Amino acid sequence: MNKSENIDQIATALVAAQSKLAGVKMNAVNPFLKNKYADLGAIIEAAREPLHDNGLSISQLPGSDNGSISLTTILMHKSGQWLESTIAMPIGDEKGRSLAQSAGAIITYLRRYSYAAIIGAYADEDADGNNGASAGDDKKKAAPVVWSGRKDLIAHAVKEIPYLSGESANAIKA
């Protein structure tokens, strides 16, 4: 992470924006895993007004280096203060996709997670707090979602992302 010399004004604005940021509605379904998620548009829409009202904006800049796609996400404040974070994922051959399609999918994926992370947004299945429970339900807990996708991407993420270590890394590797 990089930042401007001072971050007092951007930090204050981010606190105010986060106090108005509700859970992002899960509005899409993964066609392969059949799980719900909040797509990039839902995250941007949920954050648009709280960010604007507090003088904040986000810019996301894709790049590439040594077979990886990178994305730099910059949170900016009207004072000129800023926070910046960059993440990268390797691009590989995927059956049925061109290299450009794979790169586009990676960029969208990185944008979605980076945008939410830099502002502290979260996806909420049922933003009204009921979690879909009816009066007769006995506080059912959803089973944890375990992603065991491409082990090479997981290993790369654990190695390349400094804050992804320890318990977080072990949970992802599981």
Side-chain angles (χ1 to χ4, degrees):
M1 181 193 77
N2 295 310
K3 61 183 180 59
S4 56
E5 186 175 334
N6 296 307
I7 61 167
D8 58 319
Q9 292 181 55
I10 193 172
T12 301
L14 186 55
V15 166
Q18 287 175 336
S19 75
K20 302 294 183 194
L21 185 62
V24 180
K25 301 263 190 201
M26 292 187 183
N27 66 333
V29 177
N30 180 317
F32 302 103
L33 301 175
K34 307 298 184 217
N35 60 313
K36 289 183 173 182
Y37 68 97
D39 69 13
L40 178 60
I43 295 167
I44 291 171
E45 275 307 308
R48 185 181 314 279
E49 194 170 315
L51 292 177
H52 175 267
D53 291 350
N54 291 283
L56 296 166
S57 64
I58 293 179
S59 186
Q60 295 186 301
L61 310 167
S64 65
D65 188 33
N66 294 327
S68 289
I69 298 292
S70 64
L71 183 80
T72 299
T73 300
I74 308 166
L75 175 65
M76 299 169 283
H77 185 253
K78 64 183 177 183
S79 67
Q81 294 180 0
W82 54 274
L83 301 171
E84 169 188 279
S85 180
T86 300
I87 188 169
M89 287 183 77
I91 188 167
D93 292 330
E94 291 186 44
K95 189 175 183 177
R97 280 191 173 174
S98 70
L99 200 54
Q101 289 170 321
S102 293
I106 290 170
I107 290 168
T108 300
Y109 184 86
L110 293 177
R111 286 191 66 206
R112 180 165 50 107
Y113 282 99
S114 296
Y115 198 104
I118 205 161
I119 61 171
Y122 63 95
D124 191 357
E125 177 74 28
D126 184 1
D128 68 5
N130 293 329
N131 290 327
S134 66
D137 286 349
D138 290 327
K139 294 185 181 178
K140 296 176 184 174
K141 288 188 177 181
V145 176
V146 177
W147 186 76
S148 60
R150 293 184 50 196
K151 297 288 185 185
D152 59 326
L153 291 180
I154 294 170
H156 178 77
V158 169
K159 179 178 148 197
E160 296 296 322
I161 303 172
Y163 58 83
L164 193 56
S165 60
E167 289 181 24
S168 298
N170 291 335
I172 289 175
K173 288 178 186 176

mmCIF file of all heavy atoms in Angstrom, residues 108-155:
data_model
loop_
_atom_site.group_PDB
_atom_site.id
_atom_site.type_symbol
_atom_site.label_atom_id
_atom_site.label_comp_id
_atom_site.label_asym_id
_atom_site.label_seq_id
_atom_site.Cartn_x
_atom_site.Cartn_y
_atom_site.Cartn_z
ATOM 1 N N THR A 108 -11.737 -7.738 -14.139
ATOM 2 C CA THR A 108 -13.037 -7.538 -13.497
ATOM 3 C C THR A 108 -13.035 -8.111 -12.087
ATOM 4 O O THR A 108 -13.520 -7.487 -11.141
ATOM 5 C CB THR A 108 -14.165 -8.171 -14.331
ATOM 6 O OG1 THR A 108 -14.173 -7.554 -15.620
ATOM 7 C CG2 THR A 108 -15.516 -7.996 -13.671
ATOM 8 N N TYR A 109 -12.493 -9.285 -11.919
ATOM 9 C CA TYR A 109 -12.409 -9.930 -10.611
ATOM 10 C C TYR A 109 -11.603 -9.073 -9.646
ATOM 11 O O TYR A 109 -12.036 -8.801 -8.524
ATOM 12 C CB TYR A 109 -11.763 -11.308 -10.793
ATOM 13 C CG TYR A 109 -11.694 -12.139 -9.546
ATOM 14 C CD1 TYR A 109 -12.770 -12.930 -9.161
ATOM 15 C CD2 TYR A 109 -10.556 -12.156 -8.755
ATOM 16 C CE1 TYR A 109 -12.704 -13.714 -8.016
ATOM 17 C CE2 TYR A 109 -10.480 -12.933 -7.620
ATOM 18 C CZ TYR A 109 -11.555 -13.709 -7.250
ATOM 19 O OH TYR A 109 -11.493 -14.474 -6.117
ATOM 20 N N LEU A 110 -10.429 -8.622 -10.083
ATOM 21 C CA LEU A 110 -9.581 -7.785 -9.226
ATOM 22 C C LEU A 110 -10.254 -6.456 -8.908
ATOM 23 O O LEU A 110 -10.156 -5.957 -7.781
ATOM 24 C CB LEU A 110 -8.220 -7.551 -9.884
ATOM 25 C CG LEU A 110 -7.322 -8.781 -10.038
ATOM 26 C CD1 LEU A 110 -6.037 -8.403 -10.784
ATOM 27 C CD2 LEU A 110 -7.003 -9.413 -8.694
ATOM 28 N N ARG A 111 -10.940 -5.882 -9.888
ATOM 29 C CA ARG A 111 -11.642 -4.613 -9.642
ATOM 30 C C ARG A 111 -12.701 -4.777 -8.567
ATOM 31 O O ARG A 111 -12.831 -3.953 -7.665
ATOM 32 C CB ARG A 111 -12.301 -4.091 -10.925
ATOM 33 C CG ARG A 111 -11.317 -3.519 -11.935
ATOM 34 C CD ARG A 111 -12.021 -2.791 -13.043
ATOM 35 N NE ARG A 111 -12.677 -1.598 -12.496
ATOM 36 C CZ ARG A 111 -13.746 -1.019 -13.039
ATOM 37 N NH1 ARG A 111 -14.289 -1.503 -14.128
ATOM 38 N NH2 ARG A 111 -14.273 0.059 -12.491
ATOM 39 N N ARG A 112 -13.471 -5.838 -8.675
ATOM 40 C CA ARG A 112 -14.567 -6.056 -7.730
ATOM 41 C C ARG A 112 -14.044 -6.172 -6.304
ATOM 42 O O ARG A 112 -14.514 -5.493 -5.395
ATOM 43 C CB ARG A 112 -15.336 -7.318 -8.129
ATOM 44 C CG ARG A 112 -16.500 -7.638 -7.231
ATOM 45 C CD ARG A 112 -17.433 -8.661 -7.874
ATOM 46 N NE ARG A 112 -16.798 -9.837 -8.383
ATOM 47 C CZ ARG A 112 -16.880 -11.032 -7.806
ATOM 48 N NH1 ARG A 112 -17.556 -11.191 -6.694
ATOM 49 N NH2 ARG A 112 -16.305 -12.061 -8.351
ATOM 50 N N TYR A 113 -13.073 -7.022 -6.092
ATOM 51 C CA TYR A 113 -12.549 -7.227 -4.743
ATOM 52 C C TYR A 113 -11.740 -6.033 -4.237
ATOM 53 O O TYR A 113 -11.830 -5.673 -3.058
ATOM 54 C CB TYR A 113 -11.732 -8.518 -4.673
ATOM 55 C CG TYR A 113 -12.624 -9.723 -4.593
ATOM 56 C CD1 TYR A 113 -12.913 -10.476 -5.727
ATOM 57 C CD2 TYR A 113 -13.229 -10.082 -3.386
ATOM 58 C CE1 TYR A 113 -13.758 -11.564 -5.645
ATOM 59 C CE2 TYR A 113 -14.078 -11.169 -3.313
ATOM 60 C CZ TYR A 113 -14.336 -11.908 -4.443
ATOM 61 O OH TYR A 113 -15.181 -12.980 -4.367
ATOM 62 N N SER A 114 -10.965 -5.406 -5.105
ATOM 63 C CA SER A 114 -10.158 -4.264 -4.680
ATOM 64 C C SER A 114 -11.014 -3.054 -4.344
ATOM 65 O O SER A 114 -10.741 -2.327 -3.389
ATOM 66 C CB SER A 114 -9.137 -3.900 -5.768
ATOM 67 O OG SER A 114 -8.228 -4.952 -5.940
ATOM 68 N N TYR A 115 -12.053 -2.819 -5.124
ATOM 69 C CA TYR A 115 -12.959 -1.692 -4.883
ATOM 70 C C TYR A 115 -13.612 -1.850 -3.514
ATOM 71 O O TYR A 115 -13.627 -0.927 -2.694
ATOM 72 C CB TYR A 115 -14.022 -1.635 -5.981
ATOM 73 C CG TYR A 115 -14.740 -0.321 -6.108
ATOM 74 C CD1 TYR A 115 -14.446 0.553 -7.139
ATOM 75 C CD2 TYR A 115 -15.717 0.057 -5.197
ATOM 76 C CE1 TYR A 115 -15.113 1.764 -7.269
ATOM 77 C CE2 TYR A 115 -16.390 1.264 -5.320
ATOM 78 C CZ TYR A 115 -16.081 2.107 -6.352
ATOM 79 O OH TYR A 115 -16.740 3.298 -6.471
ATOM 80 N N ALA A 116 -14.155 -3.044 -3.270
ATOM 81 C CA ALA A 116 -14.811 -3.307 -1.988
ATOM 82 C C ALA A 116 -13.821 -3.211 -0.832
ATOM 83 O O ALA A 116 -14.132 -2.639 0.217
ATOM 84 C CB ALA A 116 -15.473 -4.680 -2.011
ATOM 85 N N ALA A 117 -12.629 -3.748 -1.013
ATOM 86 C CA ALA A 117 -11.648 -3.772 0.063
ATOM 87 C C ALA A 117 -11.174 -2.376 0.459
ATOM 88 O O ALA A 117 -11.038 -2.073 1.649
ATOM 89 C CB ALA A 117 -10.447 -4.633 -0.341
ATOM 90 N N ILE A 118 -10.934 -1.512 -0.505
ATOM 91 C CA ILE A 118 -10.367 -0.208 -0.180
ATOM 92 C C ILE A 118 -11.352 0.692 0.562
ATOM 93 O O ILE A 118 -10.950 1.583 1.298
ATOM 94 C CB ILE A 118 -9.768 0.486 -1.425
ATOM 95 C CG1 ILE A 118 -8.686 1.477 -0.992
ATOM 96 C CG2 ILE A 118 -10.853 1.149 -2.281
ATOM 97 C CD1 ILE A 118 -7.719 1.881 -2.083
ATOM 98 N N ILE A 119 -12.648 0.420 0.410
ATOM 99 C CA ILE A 119 -13.639 1.231 1.127
ATOM 100 C C ILE A 119 -14.290 0.470 2.282
ATOM 101 O O ILE A 119 -15.084 1.038 3.033
ATOM 102 C CB ILE A 119 -14.734 1.775 0.180
ATOM 103 C CG1 ILE A 119 -15.499 0.638 -0.485
ATOM 104 C CG2 ILE A 119 -14.141 2.751 -0.816
ATOM 105 C CD1 ILE A 119 -16.721 1.074 -1.268
ATOM 106 N N GLY A 120 -13.979 -0.802 2.422
ATOM 107 C CA GLY A 120 -14.547 -1.594 3.504
ATOM 108 C C GLY A 120 -15.966 -2.054 3.244
ATOM 109 O O GLY A 120 -16.725 -2.282 4.183
ATOM 110 N N ALA A 121 -16.337 -2.216 1.979
ATOM 111 C CA ALA A 121 -17.683 -2.681 1.631
ATOM 112 C C ALA A 121 -17.769 -4.192 1.822
ATOM 113 O O ALA A 121 -16.764 -4.894 1.766
ATOM 114 C CB ALA A 121 -18.015 -2.321 0.186
ATOM 115 N N TYR A 122 -18.985 -4.667 2.029
ATOM 116 C CA TYR A 122 -19.210 -6.095 2.172
ATOM 117 C C TYR A 122 -20.511 -6.468 1.480
ATOM 118 O O TYR A 122 -21.420 -5.657 1.377
ATOM 119 C CB TYR A 122 -19.267 -6.514 3.652
ATOM 120 C CG TYR A 122 -20.427 -5.879 4.390
ATOM 121 C CD1 TYR A 122 -21.632 -6.558 4.540
ATOM 122 C CD2 TYR A 122 -20.316 -4.598 4.912
ATOM 123 C CE1 TYR A 122 -22.701 -5.972 5.196
ATOM 124 C CE2 TYR A 122 -21.384 -4.000 5.577
ATOM 125 C CZ TYR A 122 -22.576 -4.697 5.721
ATOM 126 O OH TYR A 122 -23.633 -4.112 6.358
ATOM 127 N N ALA A 123 -20.579 -7.702 1.018
ATOM 128 C CA ALA A 123 -21.804 -8.191 0.378
ATOM 129 C C ALA A 123 -22.715 -8.755 1.454
ATOM 130 O O ALA A 123 -22.263 -9.400 2.392
ATOM 131 C CB ALA A 123 -21.470 -9.265 -0.650
ATOM 132 N N ASP A 124 -24.006 -8.498 1.304
ATOM 133 C CA ASP A 124 -24.982 -8.936 2.292
ATOM 134 C C ASP A 124 -26.121 -9.635 1.578
ATOM 135 O O ASP A 124 -26.799 -9.028 0.752
ATOM 136 C CB ASP A 124 -25.498 -7.721 3.065
ATOM 137 C CG ASP A 124 -26.323 -8.096 4.282
ATOM 138 O OD1 ASP A 124 -26.545 -9.298 4.516
ATOM 139 O OD2 ASP A 124 -26.742 -7.178 5.003
ATOM 140 N N GLU A 125 -26.315 -10.887 1.891
ATOM 141 C CA GLU A 125 -27.383 -11.676 1.278
ATOM 142 C C GLU A 125 -28.734 -10.993 1.465
ATOM 143 O O GLU A 125 -29.535 -10.914 0.565
ATOM 144 C CB GLU A 125 -27.429 -13.074 1.915
ATOM 145 C CG GLU A 125 -28.544 -13.954 1.405
ATOM 146 C CD GLU A 125 -28.295 -14.474 0.014
ATOM 147 O OE1 GLU A 125 -27.136 -14.618 -0.379
ATOM 148 O OE2 GLU A 125 -29.266 -14.717 -0.716
ATOM 149 N N ASP A 126 -28.970 -10.485 2.655
ATOM 150 C CA ASP A 126 -30.254 -9.877 2.986
ATOM 151 C C ASP A 126 -29.972 -8.623 3.804
ATOM 152 O O ASP A 126 -29.847 -8.690 5.023
ATOM 153 C CB ASP A 126 -31.105 -10.878 3.769
ATOM 154 C CG ASP A 126 -32.499 -10.351 4.067
ATOM 155 O OD1 ASP A 126 -32.812 -9.224 3.652
ATOM 156 O OD2 ASP A 126 -33.269 -11.077 4.708
ATOM 157 N N ALA A 127 -29.842 -7.504 3.151
ATOM 158 C CA ALA A 127 -29.395 -6.274 3.798
ATOM 159 C C ALA A 127 -30.350 -5.747 4.866
ATOM 160 O O ALA A 127 -29.994 -4.872 5.638
ATOM 161 C CB ALA A 127 -29.141 -5.192 2.756
ATOM 162 N N ASP A 128 -31.568 -6.299 4.972
ATOM 163 C CA ASP A 128 -32.479 -5.801 5.998
ATOM 164 C C ASP A 128 -32.262 -6.499 7.342
ATOM 165 O O ASP A 128 -32.968 -6.223 8.309
ATOM 166 C CB ASP A 128 -33.939 -5.911 5.562
ATOM 167 C CG ASP A 128 -34.430 -7.353 5.440
ATOM 168 O OD1 ASP A 128 -33.679 -8.275 5.771
ATOM 169 O OD2 ASP A 128 -35.574 -7.539 5.008
ATOM 170 N N GLY A 129 -31.297 -7.389 7.405
ATOM 171 C CA GLY A 129 -30.934 -8.010 8.664
ATOM 172 C C GLY A 129 -31.661 -9.300 8.989
ATOM 173 O O GLY A 129 -31.397 -9.922 10.007
ATOM 174 N N ASN A 130 -32.574 -9.738 8.156
ATOM 175 C CA ASN A 130 -33.331 -10.957 8.442
ATOM 176 C C ASN A 130 -32.625 -12.221 7.961
ATOM 177 O O ASN A 130 -33.022 -13.313 8.314
ATOM 178 C CB ASN A 130 -34.721 -10.897 7.797
ATOM 179 C CG ASN A 130 -35.578 -9.845 8.434
ATOM 180 O OD1 ASN A 130 -35.449 -9.557 9.614
ATOM 181 N ND2 ASN A 130 -36.463 -9.247 7.650
ATOM 182 N N ASN A 131 -31.612 -12.062 7.126
ATOM 183 C CA ASN A 131 -30.881 -13.189 6.550
ATOM 184 C C ASN A 131 -31.807 -14.229 5.937
ATOM 185 O O ASN A 131 -31.530 -15.417 5.956
ATOM 186 C CB ASN A 131 -29.983 -13.859 7.586
ATOM 187 C CG ASN A 131 -28.829 -12.983 7.959
ATOM 188 O OD1 ASN A 131 -28.328 -12.230 7.127
ATOM 189 N ND2 ASN A 131 -28.403 -13.061 9.199
ATOM 190 N N GLY A 132 -32.960 -13.769 5.443
ATOM 191 C CA GLY A 132 -33.879 -14.670 4.768
ATOM 192 C C GLY A 132 -34.626 -15.597 5.711
ATOM 193 O O GLY A 132 -35.308 -16.508 5.273
ATOM 194 N N ALA A 133 -34.483 -15.408 7.022
ATOM 195 C CA ALA A 133 -35.127 -16.298 7.978
ATOM 196 C C ALA A 133 -36.606 -15.963 8.098
ATOM 197 O O ALA A 133 -36.991 -14.806 8.130
ATOM 198 C CB ALA A 133 -34.455 -16.174 9.332
ATOM 199 N N SER A 134 -37.413 -16.980 8.191
ATOM 200 C CA SER A 134 -38.835 -16.770 8.449
ATOM 201 C C SER A 134 -39.085 -17.003 9.929
ATOM 202 O O SER A 134 -38.219 -17.481 10.653
ATOM 203 C CB SER A 134 -39.681 -17.706 7.595
ATOM 204 O OG SER A 134 -39.455 -19.043 7.997
ATOM 205 N N ALA A 135 -40.273 -16.698 10.411
ATOM 206 C CA ALA A 135 -40.593 -16.792 11.827
ATOM 207 C C ALA A 135 -40.374 -18.202 12.371
ATOM 208 O O ALA A 135 -40.036 -18.375 13.528
ATOM 209 C CB ALA A 135 -42.029 -16.350 12.060
ATOM 210 N N GLY A 136 -40.543 -19.232 11.551
ATOM 211 C CA GLY A 136 -40.414 -20.602 12.030
ATOM 212 C C GLY A 136 -39.013 -21.176 11.948
ATOM 213 O O GLY A 136 -38.769 -22.289 12.385
ATOM 214 N N ASP A 137 -38.058 -20.460 11.373
ATOM 215 C CA ASP A 137 -36.703 -20.985 11.206
ATOM 216 C C ASP A 137 -35.959 -21.024 12.536
ATOM 217 O O ASP A 137 -36.127 -20.178 13.392
ATOM 218 C CB ASP A 137 -35.898 -20.141 10.211
ATOM 219 C CG ASP A 137 -36.332 -20.379 8.780
ATOM 220 O OD1 ASP A 137 -37.088 -21.333 8.535
ATOM 221 O OD2 ASP A 137 -35.922 -19.585 7.912
ATOM 222 N N ASP A 138 -35.114 -22.019 12.723
ATOM 223 C CA ASP A 138 -34.314 -22.154 13.931
ATOM 224 C C ASP A 138 -32.891 -21.692 13.679
ATOM 225 O O ASP A 138 -31.957 -22.489 13.697
ATOM 226 C CB ASP A 138 -34.290 -23.608 14.397
ATOM 227 C CG ASP A 138 -35.621 -24.073 14.934
ATOM 228 O OD1 ASP A 138 -36.344 -23.246 15.522
ATOM 229 O OD2 ASP A 138 -35.910 -25.272 14.759
ATOM 230 N N LYS A 139 -32.700 -20.444 13.426
ATOM 231 C CA LYS A 139 -31.367 -19.837 13.262
ATOM 232 C C LYS A 139 -30.410 -20.779 12.541
ATOM 233 O O LYS A 139 -29.379 -21.174 13.069
ATOM 234 C CB LYS A 139 -30.781 -19.423 14.612
ATOM 235 C CG LYS A 139 -31.547 -18.311 15.263
ATOM 236 C CD LYS A 139 -30.845 -17.877 16.528
ATOM 237 C CE LYS A 139 -31.616 -16.761 17.202
ATOM 238 N NZ LYS A 139 -31.016 -16.329 18.436
ATOM 239 N N LYS A 140 -30.759 -21.119 11.334
ATOM 240 C CA LYS A 140 -29.928 -22.011 10.543
ATOM 241 C C LYS A 140 -28.666 -21.283 10.120
ATOM 242 O O LYS A 140 -28.707 -20.142 9.701
ATOM 243 C CB LYS A 140 -30.680 -22.487 9.306
ATOM 244 C CG LYS A 140 -31.884 -23.315 9.643
ATOM 245 C CD LYS A 140 -32.634 -23.677 8.379
ATOM 246 C CE LYS A 140 -33.897 -24.419 8.725
ATOM 247 N NZ LYS A 140 -34.732 -24.671 7.553
ATOM 248 N N LYS A 141 -27.547 -21.979 10.211
ATOM 249 C CA LYS A 141 -26.273 -21.407 9.782
ATOM 250 C C LYS A 141 -25.914 -22.014 8.431
ATOM 251 O O LYS A 141 -26.008 -23.225 8.248
ATOM 252 C CB LYS A 141 -25.159 -21.703 10.785
ATOM 253 C CG LYS A 141 -25.292 -20.905 12.059
ATOM 254 C CD LYS A 141 -24.068 -21.092 12.910
ATOM 255 C CE LYS A 141 -24.152 -20.233 14.155
ATOM 256 N NZ LYS A 141 -22.975 -20.386 14.988
ATOM 257 N N ALA A 142 -25.485 -21.154 7.540
ATOM 258 C CA ALA A 142 -25.062 -21.636 6.230
ATOM 259 C C ALA A 142 -23.725 -22.343 6.369
ATOM 260 O O ALA A 142 -22.876 -21.936 7.161
ATOM 261 C CB ALA A 142 -24.932 -20.464 5.257
ATOM 262 N N ALA A 143 -23.544 -23.381 5.601
ATOM 263 C CA ALA A 143 -22.259 -24.071 5.598
ATOM 264 C C ALA A 143 -21.209 -23.159 4.990
ATOM 265 O O ALA A 143 -21.495 -22.411 4.064
ATOM 266 C CB ALA A 143 -22.371 -25.353 4.780
ATOM 267 N N PRO A 144 -19.989 -23.179 5.520
ATOM 268 C CA PRO A 144 -18.953 -22.316 4.956
ATOM 269 C C PRO A 144 -18.661 -22.702 3.515
ATOM 270 O O PRO A 144 -18.696 -23.881 3.160
ATOM 271 C CB PRO A 144 -17.736 -22.571 5.843
ATOM 272 C CG PRO A 144 -18.010 -23.839 6.551
ATOM 273 C CD PRO A 144 -19.503 -24.015 6.596
ATOM 274 N N VAL A 145 -18.407 -21.703 2.699
ATOM 275 C CA VAL A 145 -18.076 -21.941 1.304
ATOM 276 C C VAL A 145 -16.580 -22.195 1.219
ATOM 277 O O VAL A 145 -15.778 -21.411 1.723
ATOM 278 C CB VAL A 145 -18.445 -20.719 0.431
ATOM 279 C CG1 VAL A 145 -17.988 -20.952 -0.997
ATOM 280 C CG2 VAL A 145 -19.929 -20.485 0.505
ATOM 281 N N VAL A 146 -16.207 -23.301 0.631
ATOM 282 C CA VAL A 146 -14.794 -23.633 0.480
ATOM 283 C C VAL A 146 -14.471 -23.576 -0.999
ATOM 284 O O VAL A 146 -15.113 -24.236 -1.803
ATOM 285 C CB VAL A 146 -14.486 -25.041 1.034
ATOM 286 C CG1 VAL A 146 -13.038 -25.397 0.802
ATOM 287 C CG2 VAL A 146 -14.847 -25.122 2.503
ATOM 288 N N TRP A 147 -13.507 -22.763 -1.346
ATOM 289 C CA TRP A 147 -13.095 -22.654 -2.734
ATOM 290 C C TRP A 147 -11.817 -23.431 -2.909
ATOM 291 O O TRP A 147 -10.814 -23.155 -2.259
ATOM 292 C CB TRP A 147 -12.891 -21.195 -3.116
ATOM 293 C CG TRP A 147 -12.597 -21.049 -4.575
ATOM 294 C CD1 TRP A 147 -13.476 -21.140 -5.593
ATOM 295 C CD2 TRP A 147 -11.328 -20.792 -5.177
ATOM 296 N NE1 TRP A 147 -12.865 -20.958 -6.796
ATOM 297 C CE2 TRP A 147 -11.531 -20.740 -6.564
ATOM 298 C CE3 TRP A 147 -10.044 -20.609 -4.695
ATOM 299 C CZ2 TRP A 147 -10.506 -20.512 -7.455
ATOM 300 C CZ3 TRP A 147 -9.025 -20.378 -5.590
ATOM 301 C CH2 TRP A 147 -9.264 -20.335 -6.950
ATOM 302 N N SER A 148 -11.863 -24.417 -3.766
ATOM 303 C CA SER A 148 -10.673 -25.226 -3.988
ATOM 304 C C SER A 148 -10.282 -25.161 -5.452
ATOM 305 O O SER A 148 -9.860 -26.127 -6.027
ATOM 306 C CB SER A 148 -10.932 -26.673 -3.567
ATOM 307 O OG SER A 148 -12.004 -27.203 -4.316
ATOM 308 N N GLY A 149 -10.471 -23.994 -6.035
ATOM 309 C CA GLY A 149 -10.175 -23.770 -7.447
ATOM 310 C C GLY A 149 -8.716 -24.005 -7.771
ATOM 311 O O GLY A 149 -8.072 -24.864 -7.216
ATOM 312 N N ARG A 150 -8.202 -23.181 -8.612
ATOM 313 C CA ARG A 150 -6.844 -23.368 -9.110
ATOM 314 C C ARG A 150 -5.809 -23.197 -8.005
ATOM 315 O O ARG A 150 -5.584 -22.113 -7.506
ATOM 316 C CB ARG A 150 -6.596 -22.398 -10.246
ATOM 317 C CG ARG A 150 -7.438 -22.735 -11.445
ATOM 318 C CD ARG A 150 -7.154 -21.864 -12.619
ATOM 319 N NE ARG A 150 -5.739 -21.793 -12.909
ATOM 320 C CZ ARG A 150 -5.214 -20.859 -13.699
ATOM 321 N NH1 ARG A 150 -5.967 -19.971 -14.266
ATOM 322 N NH2 ARG A 150 -3.927 -20.829 -13.919
ATOM 323 N N LYS A 151 -5.170 -24.270 -7.633
ATOM 324 C CA LYS A 151 -4.177 -24.259 -6.557
ATOM 325 C C LYS A 151 -2.997 -23.350 -6.902
ATOM 326 O O LYS A 151 -2.396 -22.758 -6.022
ATOM 327 C CB LYS A 151 -3.666 -25.672 -6.262
ATOM 328 C CG LYS A 151 -4.730 -26.608 -5.755
ATOM 329 C CD LYS A 151 -5.130 -26.261 -4.341
ATOM 330 C CE LYS A 151 -6.099 -27.303 -3.833
ATOM 331 N NZ LYS A 151 -6.619 -27.005 -2.535
ATOM 332 N N ASP A 152 -2.668 -23.230 -8.197
ATOM 333 C CA ASP A 152 -1.552 -22.370 -8.580
ATOM 334 C C ASP A 152 -1.856 -20.905 -8.278
ATOM 335 O O ASP A 152 -0.999 -20.152 -7.823
ATOM 336 C CB ASP A 152 -1.172 -22.550 -10.049
ATOM 337 C CG ASP A 152 -2.322 -22.240 -11.009
ATOM 338 O OD1 ASP A 152 -3.490 -22.514 -10.664
ATOM 339 O OD2 ASP A 152 -2.041 -21.737 -12.111
ATOM 340 N N LEU A 153 -3.122 -20.483 -8.474
ATOM 341 C CA LEU A 153 -3.501 -19.104 -8.162
ATOM 342 C C LEU A 153 -3.502 -18.868 -6.660
ATOM 343 O O LEU A 153 -3.074 -17.824 -6.183
ATOM 344 C CB LEU A 153 -4.869 -18.768 -8.737
ATOM 345 C CG LEU A 153 -4.959 -18.664 -10.249
ATOM 346 C CD1 LEU A 153 -6.387 -18.333 -10.665
ATOM 347 C CD2 LEU A 153 -4.006 -17.619 -10.777
ATOM 348 N N ILE A 154 -3.961 -19.863 -5.896
ATOM 349 C CA ILE A 154 -3.966 -19.731 -4.445
ATOM 350 C C ILE A 154 -2.537 -19.612 -3.933
ATOM 351 O O ILE A 154 -2.218 -18.731 -3.139
ATOM 352 C CB ILE A 154 -4.680 -20.937 -3.797
ATOM 353 C CG1 ILE A 154 -6.159 -20.933 -4.178
ATOM 354 C CG2 ILE A 154 -4.512 -20.913 -2.279
ATOM 355 C CD1 ILE A 154 -6.894 -22.194 -3.790
ATOM 356 N N ALA A 155 -1.661 -20.483 -4.402
ATOM 357 C CA ALA A 155 -0.269 -20.443 -3.966
ATOM 358 C C ALA A 155 0.370 -19.103 -4.325
ATOM 359 O O ALA A 155 1.098 -18.510 -3.528
ATOM 360 C CB ALA A 155 0.517 -21.593 -4.601
#
